[in-house]
mmCIF file of all heavy atoms in Angstrom:
data_model
loop_
_atom_site.group_PDB
_atom_site.id
_atom_site.type_symbol
_atom_site.label_atom_id
_atom_site.label_comp_id
_atom_site.label_asym_id
_atom_site.label_seq_id
_atom_site.Cartn_x
_atom_site.Cartn_y
_atom_site.Cartn_z
ATOM 1 N N ASP A 2 46.217 112.609 34.696
ATOM 2 C CA ASP A 2 45.018 113.011 33.963
ATOM 3 C C ASP A 2 44.289 111.835 33.328
ATOM 4 O O ASP A 2 43.479 112.008 32.409
ATOM 5 C CB ASP A 2 45.396 114.024 32.864
ATOM 6 C CG ASP A 2 45.741 115.385 33.447
ATOM 7 O OD1 ASP A 2 45.264 115.694 34.558
ATOM 8 O OD2 ASP A 2 46.499 116.130 32.798
ATOM 9 N N THR A 3 44.578 110.649 33.794
ATOM 10 C CA THR A 3 43.840 109.469 33.339
ATOM 11 C C THR A 3 43.314 108.722 34.558
ATOM 12 O O THR A 3 43.828 108.868 35.665
ATOM 13 C CB THR A 3 44.734 108.521 32.508
ATOM 14 O OG1 THR A 3 45.800 108.027 33.336
ATOM 15 C CG2 THR A 3 45.312 109.239 31.302
ATOM 16 N N ALA A 4 42.295 107.942 34.334
ATOM 17 C CA ALA A 4 41.712 107.185 35.437
ATOM 18 C C ALA A 4 41.058 105.923 34.899
ATOM 19 O O ALA A 4 40.690 105.849 33.724
ATOM 20 C CB ALA A 4 40.695 108.022 36.198
ATOM 21 N N LYS A 5 40.929 104.951 35.776
ATOM 22 C CA LYS A 5 40.209 103.726 35.466
ATOM 23 C C LYS A 5 39.154 103.528 36.542
ATOM 24 O O LYS A 5 39.373 103.862 37.707
ATOM 25 C CB LYS A 5 41.151 102.520 35.432
ATOM 26 C CG LYS A 5 42.194 102.576 34.322
ATOM 27 C CD LYS A 5 43.094 101.342 34.354
ATOM 28 C CE LYS A 5 44.135 101.393 33.256
ATOM 29 N NZ LYS A 5 45.033 100.196 33.280
ATOM 30 N N ALA A 6 38.028 102.998 36.144
ATOM 31 C CA ALA A 6 36.958 102.748 37.099
ATOM 32 C C ALA A 6 36.254 101.453 36.754
ATOM 33 O O ALA A 6 36.203 101.046 35.588
ATOM 34 C CB ALA A 6 35.959 103.903 37.107
ATOM 35 N N THR A 7 35.748 100.795 37.758
ATOM 36 C CA THR A 7 34.923 99.613 37.555
ATOM 37 C C THR A 7 33.477 100.023 37.797
ATOM 38 O O THR A 7 33.145 100.571 38.839
ATOM 39 C CB THR A 7 35.313 98.492 38.525
ATOM 40 O OG1 THR A 7 36.674 98.121 38.299
ATOM 41 C CG2 THR A 7 34.426 97.271 38.325
ATOM 42 N N ILE A 8 32.645 99.770 36.803
ATOM 43 C CA ILE A 8 31.240 100.141 36.888
ATOM 44 C C ILE A 8 30.404 98.876 37.026
ATOM 45 O O ILE A 8 30.434 98.004 36.152
ATOM 46 C CB ILE A 8 30.777 100.917 35.639
ATOM 47 C CG1 ILE A 8 31.748 102.058 35.320
ATOM 48 C CG2 ILE A 8 29.354 101.421 35.826
ATOM 49 C CD1 ILE A 8 31.867 103.102 36.385
ATOM 50 N N ALA A 9 29.700 98.782 38.122
ATOM 51 C CA ALA A 9 28.765 97.670 38.305
ATOM 52 C C ALA A 9 27.430 98.092 37.709
ATOM 53 O O ALA A 9 26.933 99.177 37.992
ATOM 54 C CB ALA A 9 28.617 97.345 39.781
ATOM 55 N N PHE A 10 26.872 97.252 36.845
ATOM 56 C CA PHE A 10 25.589 97.578 36.239
ATOM 57 C C PHE A 10 24.571 96.492 36.568
ATOM 58 O O PHE A 10 24.909 95.344 36.839
ATOM 59 C CB PHE A 10 25.710 97.755 34.723
ATOM 60 C CG PHE A 10 26.150 96.516 33.981
ATOM 61 C CD1 PHE A 10 25.237 95.557 33.594
ATOM 62 C CD2 PHE A 10 27.493 96.335 33.664
ATOM 63 C CE1 PHE A 10 25.647 94.421 32.898
ATOM 64 C CE2 PHE A 10 27.910 95.189 32.966
ATOM 65 C CZ PHE A 10 26.988 94.236 32.591
ATOM 66 N N ARG A 11 23.324 96.908 36.552
ATOM 67 C CA ARG A 11 22.238 95.966 36.848
ATOM 68 C C ARG A 11 20.994 96.407 36.106
ATOM 69 O O ARG A 11 20.706 97.588 35.976
ATOM 70 C CB ARG A 11 21.946 95.938 38.349
ATOM 71 C CG ARG A 11 20.763 95.050 38.730
ATOM 72 C CD ARG A 11 20.378 95.221 40.187
ATOM 73 N NE ARG A 11 21.424 94.794 41.091
ATOM 74 C CZ ARG A 11 21.317 94.815 42.422
ATOM 75 N NH1 ARG A 11 20.212 95.273 42.980
ATOM 76 N NH2 ARG A 11 22.308 94.407 43.183
ATOM 77 N N ASN A 12 20.275 95.432 35.565
ATOM 78 C CA ASN A 12 18.944 95.695 35.041
ATOM 79 C C ASN A 12 18.069 94.492 35.378
ATOM 80 O O ASN A 12 18.488 93.628 36.166
ATOM 81 C CB ASN A 12 18.968 96.002 33.529
ATOM 82 C CG ASN A 12 19.590 94.885 32.725
ATOM 83 O OD1 ASN A 12 19.524 93.712 33.094
ATOM 84 N ND2 ASN A 12 20.191 95.234 31.597
ATOM 85 N N THR A 13 16.893 94.428 34.811
ATOM 86 C CA THR A 13 15.965 93.377 35.216
ATOM 87 C C THR A 13 16.340 91.996 34.694
ATOM 88 O O THR A 13 15.739 91.005 35.112
ATOM 89 C CB THR A 13 14.543 93.714 34.737
ATOM 90 O OG1 THR A 13 14.556 93.944 33.326
ATOM 91 C CG2 THR A 13 14.014 94.949 35.455
ATOM 92 N N VAL A 14 17.313 91.918 33.800
ATOM 93 C CA VAL A 14 17.699 90.611 33.263
ATOM 94 C C VAL A 14 19.073 90.149 33.727
ATOM 95 O O VAL A 14 19.502 89.052 33.382
ATOM 96 C CB VAL A 14 17.652 90.603 31.717
ATOM 97 C CG1 VAL A 14 16.238 90.823 31.232
ATOM 98 C CG2 VAL A 14 18.594 91.644 31.141
ATOM 99 N N GLY A 15 19.757 90.958 34.493
ATOM 100 C CA GLY A 15 21.068 90.513 34.968
ATOM 101 C C GLY A 15 21.907 91.652 35.511
ATOM 102 O O GLY A 15 21.459 92.789 35.612
ATOM 103 N N ARG A 16 23.149 91.301 35.835
ATOM 104 C CA ARG A 16 24.083 92.273 36.377
ATOM 105 C C ARG A 16 25.485 91.899 35.958
ATOM 106 O O ARG A 16 25.726 90.789 35.473
ATOM 107 C CB ARG A 16 23.985 92.319 37.905
ATOM 108 C CG ARG A 16 24.425 91.018 38.580
ATOM 109 C CD ARG A 16 24.324 91.112 40.091
ATOM 110 N NE ARG A 16 22.947 91.192 40.531
ATOM 111 C CZ ARG A 16 22.598 91.401 41.788
ATOM 112 N NH1 ARG A 16 23.533 91.556 42.719
ATOM 113 N NH2 ARG A 16 21.328 91.447 42.129
ATOM 114 N N GLY A 17 26.418 92.809 36.146
ATOM 115 C CA GLY A 17 27.803 92.524 35.799
ATOM 116 C C GLY A 17 28.678 93.728 36.110
ATOM 117 O O GLY A 17 28.231 94.702 36.707
ATOM 118 N N ASN A 18 29.927 93.633 35.686
ATOM 119 C CA ASN A 18 30.889 94.714 35.890
ATOM 120 C C ASN A 18 31.590 95.005 34.573
ATOM 121 O O ASN A 18 31.811 94.098 33.768
ATOM 122 C CB ASN A 18 31.937 94.331 36.938
ATOM 123 C CG ASN A 18 31.338 94.146 38.305
ATOM 124 O OD1 ASN A 18 30.934 95.096 38.965
ATOM 125 N ND2 ASN A 18 31.272 92.898 38.762
ATOM 126 N N GLU A 19 31.926 96.261 34.360
ATOM 127 C CA GLU A 19 32.679 96.616 33.166
ATOM 128 C C GLU A 19 33.730 97.664 33.517
ATOM 129 O O GLU A 19 33.475 98.578 34.297
ATOM 130 C CB GLU A 19 31.770 97.142 32.059
ATOM 131 C CG GLU A 19 30.977 98.378 32.413
ATOM 132 C CD GLU A 19 30.200 98.913 31.226
ATOM 133 O OE1 GLU A 19 30.586 98.637 30.080
ATOM 134 O OE2 GLU A 19 29.209 99.633 31.440
ATOM 135 N N PRO A 20 34.933 97.520 32.968
ATOM 136 C CA PRO A 20 35.977 98.521 33.186
ATOM 137 C C PRO A 20 35.750 99.720 32.278
ATOM 138 O O PRO A 20 35.338 99.573 31.134
ATOM 139 C CB PRO A 20 37.254 97.770 32.806
ATOM 140 C CG PRO A 20 36.804 96.770 31.779
ATOM 141 C CD PRO A 20 35.416 96.378 32.168
ATOM 142 N N ARG A 21 35.987 100.917 32.790
ATOM 143 C CA ARG A 21 35.861 102.132 32.002
ATOM 144 C C ARG A 21 37.134 102.954 32.139
ATOM 145 O O ARG A 21 37.773 102.968 33.195
ATOM 146 C CB ARG A 21 34.678 102.988 32.470
ATOM 147 C CG ARG A 21 33.356 102.272 32.577
ATOM 148 C CD ARG A 21 32.760 101.902 31.266
ATOM 149 N NE ARG A 21 32.452 103.039 30.396
ATOM 150 C CZ ARG A 21 31.728 102.918 29.291
ATOM 151 N NH1 ARG A 21 31.232 101.744 28.931
ATOM 152 N NH2 ARG A 21 31.483 103.977 28.539
ATOM 153 N N LYS A 22 37.486 103.649 31.067
ATOM 154 C CA LYS A 22 38.647 104.533 31.071
ATOM 155 C C LYS A 22 38.176 105.982 31.018
ATOM 156 O O LYS A 22 37.200 106.298 30.330
ATOM 157 C CB LYS A 22 39.538 104.232 29.861
ATOM 158 C CG LYS A 22 40.115 102.829 29.843
ATOM 159 C CD LYS A 22 40.957 102.600 28.593
ATOM 160 C CE LYS A 22 41.527 101.196 28.548
ATOM 161 N NZ LYS A 22 42.317 100.951 27.313
ATOM 162 N N PHE A 23 38.892 106.854 31.732
ATOM 163 C CA PHE A 23 38.538 108.261 31.781
ATOM 164 C C PHE A 23 39.781 109.111 31.533
ATOM 165 O O PHE A 23 40.898 108.699 31.857
ATOM 166 C CB PHE A 23 37.941 108.635 33.136
ATOM 167 C CG PHE A 23 36.638 107.947 33.436
ATOM 168 C CD1 PHE A 23 36.614 106.652 33.924
ATOM 169 C CD2 PHE A 23 35.432 108.589 33.217
ATOM 170 C CE1 PHE A 23 35.414 106.005 34.198
ATOM 171 C CE2 PHE A 23 34.229 107.961 33.482
ATOM 172 C CZ PHE A 23 34.218 106.667 33.970
ATOM 173 N N VAL A 24 39.582 110.280 30.946
ATOM 174 C CA VAL A 24 40.670 111.244 30.771
ATOM 175 C C VAL A 24 40.163 112.606 31.213
ATOM 176 O O VAL A 24 38.963 112.899 31.152
ATOM 177 C CB VAL A 24 41.173 111.313 29.312
ATOM 178 C CG1 VAL A 24 41.733 109.972 28.860
ATOM 179 C CG2 VAL A 24 40.069 111.785 28.373
ATOM 180 N N ARG A 25 41.097 113.450 31.644
ATOM 181 C CA ARG A 25 40.740 114.813 32.024
ATOM 182 C C ARG A 25 40.972 115.724 30.827
ATOM 183 O O ARG A 25 42.081 115.817 30.315
ATOM 184 C CB ARG A 25 41.588 115.261 33.216
ATOM 185 C CG ARG A 25 40.987 116.437 33.987
ATOM 186 C CD ARG A 25 41.982 117.063 34.955
ATOM 187 N NE ARG A 25 42.787 116.127 35.673
ATOM 188 C CZ ARG A 25 42.584 115.730 36.941
ATOM 189 N NH1 ARG A 25 41.536 116.190 37.608
ATOM 190 N NH2 ARG A 25 43.407 114.888 37.528
ATOM 191 N N GLU A 26 39.912 116.370 30.373
ATOM 192 C CA GLU A 26 39.987 117.291 29.237
ATOM 193 C C GLU A 26 39.529 118.668 29.683
ATOM 194 O O GLU A 26 38.394 118.819 30.159
ATOM 195 C CB GLU A 26 39.108 116.809 28.079
ATOM 196 C CG GLU A 26 39.614 115.575 27.366
ATOM 197 C CD GLU A 26 38.754 115.212 26.166
ATOM 198 O OE1 GLU A 26 37.645 115.767 26.034
ATOM 199 O OE2 GLU A 26 39.185 114.371 25.366
ATOM 200 N N ASP A 27 40.397 119.647 29.521
ATOM 201 C CA ASP A 27 40.057 121.028 29.900
ATOM 202 C C ASP A 27 39.558 121.105 31.336
ATOM 203 O O ASP A 27 38.635 121.876 31.652
ATOM 204 C CB ASP A 27 39.010 121.610 28.950
ATOM 205 C CG ASP A 27 39.495 121.653 27.503
ATOM 206 O OD1 ASP A 27 40.694 121.900 27.303
ATOM 207 O OD2 ASP A 27 38.681 121.419 26.592
ATOM 208 N N GLY A 28 40.145 120.269 32.180
ATOM 209 C CA GLY A 28 39.810 120.307 33.593
ATOM 210 C C GLY A 28 38.627 119.463 34.003
ATOM 211 O O GLY A 28 38.269 119.427 35.187
ATOM 212 N N PHE A 29 38.013 118.763 33.040
ATOM 213 C CA PHE A 29 36.839 117.948 33.349
ATOM 214 C C PHE A 29 37.078 116.494 32.954
ATOM 215 O O PHE A 29 37.663 116.214 31.903
ATOM 216 C CB PHE A 29 35.602 118.475 32.601
ATOM 217 C CG PHE A 29 35.222 119.872 32.979
ATOM 218 C CD1 PHE A 29 35.640 120.953 32.215
ATOM 219 C CD2 PHE A 29 34.455 120.111 34.108
ATOM 220 C CE1 PHE A 29 35.288 122.247 32.562
ATOM 221 C CE2 PHE A 29 34.095 121.413 34.467
ATOM 222 C CZ PHE A 29 34.516 122.480 33.701
ATOM 223 N N TRP A 30 36.605 115.568 33.772
ATOM 224 C CA TRP A 30 36.739 114.154 33.471
ATOM 225 C C TRP A 30 35.725 113.738 32.407
ATOM 226 O O TRP A 30 34.570 114.147 32.451
ATOM 227 C CB TRP A 30 36.545 113.302 34.724
ATOM 228 C CG TRP A 30 37.713 113.344 35.654
ATOM 229 C CD1 TRP A 30 37.806 114.023 36.831
ATOM 230 C CD2 TRP A 30 38.970 112.681 35.465
ATOM 231 N NE1 TRP A 30 39.038 113.828 37.405
ATOM 232 C CE2 TRP A 30 39.786 113.002 36.582
ATOM 233 C CE3 TRP A 30 39.503 111.856 34.475
ATOM 234 C CZ2 TRP A 30 41.081 112.532 36.733
ATOM 235 C CZ3 TRP A 30 40.793 111.383 34.617
ATOM 236 C CH2 TRP A 30 41.571 111.710 35.724
ATOM 237 N N LYS A 31 36.188 112.935 31.449
ATOM 238 C CA LYS A 31 35.335 112.407 30.394
ATOM 239 C C LYS A 31 35.573 110.902 30.268
ATOM 240 O O LYS A 31 36.690 110.423 30.430
ATOM 241 C CB LYS A 31 35.641 113.075 29.045
ATOM 242 C CG LYS A 31 35.405 114.584 29.025
ATOM 243 C CD LYS A 31 33.936 114.920 29.091
ATOM 244 C CE LYS A 31 33.693 116.416 28.973
ATOM 245 N NZ LYS A 31 32.238 116.751 29.003
ATOM 246 N N ASP A 32 34.505 110.186 29.979
ATOM 247 C CA ASP A 32 34.633 108.754 29.713
ATOM 248 C C ASP A 32 35.324 108.586 28.366
ATOM 249 O O ASP A 32 34.932 109.212 27.377
ATOM 250 C CB ASP A 32 33.247 108.110 29.680
ATOM 251 C CG ASP A 32 33.289 106.589 29.696
ATOM 252 O OD1 ASP A 32 34.068 106.013 28.913
ATOM 253 O OD2 ASP A 32 32.545 105.985 30.478
ATOM 254 N N CYS A 33 36.347 107.756 28.308
ATOM 255 C CA CYS A 33 37.073 107.555 27.058
ATOM 256 C C CYS A 33 37.208 106.063 26.759
ATOM 257 O O CYS A 33 38.220 105.618 26.217
ATOM 258 C CB CYS A 33 38.451 108.226 27.137
ATOM 259 S SG CYS A 33 39.068 108.815 25.525
ATOM 260 N N THR A 34 36.186 105.315 27.092
ATOM 261 C CA THR A 34 36.188 103.877 26.839
ATOM 262 C C THR A 34 35.993 103.623 25.346
ATOM 263 O O THR A 34 35.007 104.090 24.769
ATOM 264 C CB THR A 34 35.055 103.189 27.621
ATOM 265 O OG1 THR A 34 35.152 103.562 28.997
ATOM 266 C CG2 THR A 34 35.146 101.676 27.490
ATOM 267 N N PRO A 35 36.902 102.920 24.695
ATOM 268 C CA PRO A 35 36.770 102.671 23.257
ATOM 269 C C PRO A 35 35.456 101.974 22.922
ATOM 270 O O PRO A 35 34.948 101.157 23.691
ATOM 271 C CB PRO A 35 37.973 101.770 22.944
ATOM 272 C CG PRO A 35 38.963 102.104 24.018
ATOM 273 C CD PRO A 35 38.145 102.373 25.242
ATOM 274 N N GLU A 36 34.918 102.304 21.771
ATOM 275 C CA GLU A 36 33.631 101.746 21.347
ATOM 276 C C GLU A 36 33.637 100.223 21.348
ATOM 277 O O GLU A 36 32.651 99.595 21.713
ATOM 278 C CB GLU A 36 33.293 102.273 19.950
ATOM 279 C CG GLU A 36 31.962 101.817 19.397
ATOM 280 C CD GLU A 36 30.788 102.502 20.079
ATOM 281 O OE1 GLU A 36 31.015 103.468 20.821
ATOM 282 O OE2 GLU A 36 29.647 102.078 19.850
ATOM 283 N N ALA A 37 34.761 99.643 20.963
ATOM 284 C CA ALA A 37 34.814 98.181 20.849
ATOM 285 C C ALA A 37 34.548 97.491 22.172
ATOM 286 O O ALA A 37 34.064 96.368 22.209
ATOM 287 C CB ALA A 37 36.177 97.744 20.310
ATOM 288 N N THR A 38 34.857 98.145 23.292
ATOM 289 C CA THR A 38 34.671 97.505 24.585
ATOM 290 C C THR A 38 33.286 97.765 25.159
ATOM 291 O O THR A 38 32.980 97.317 26.251
ATOM 292 C CB THR A 38 35.723 97.983 25.600
ATOM 293 O OG1 THR A 38 35.496 99.369 25.870
ATOM 294 C CG2 THR A 38 37.120 97.792 25.084
ATOM 295 N N GLN A 39 32.443 98.480 24.417
ATOM 296 C CA GLN A 39 31.103 98.755 24.910
ATOM 297 C C GLN A 39 30.099 97.702 24.460
ATOM 298 O O GLN A 39 28.945 97.721 24.886
ATOM 299 C CB GLN A 39 30.644 100.137 24.453
ATOM 300 C CG GLN A 39 31.471 101.251 25.074
ATOM 301 C CD GLN A 39 30.993 102.608 24.636
ATOM 302 O OE1 GLN A 39 29.935 102.725 24.041
ATOM 303 N NE2 GLN A 39 31.755 103.637 24.927
#
């Protein structure tokens, strides 16, 4: 019931990758990335 994903992001000033954590709650996946890593 946990997952990790790599999210590639891009905007007009640059691009990069960020790791995200997910958990399954009541049958649905939710992003659970701690605020500090955002």
Side-chain angles (χ1 to χ4, degrees):
D2 287 335
T3 63
K5 295 180 180 179
T7 299
I8 311 298
F10 63 85
R11 176 189 296 182
N12 57 30
T13 55
V14 296
R16 65 180 68 186
N18 295 289
E19 60 175 337
R21 308 290 298 191
K22 298 179 181 178
F23 296 81
V24 298
R25 200 193 319 259
E26 289 184 347
D27 300 324
F29 298 96
W30 285 104
K31 299 290 184 179
D32 192 312
C33 210
T34 307
E36 182 73 11
T38 66
Q39 294 181 11

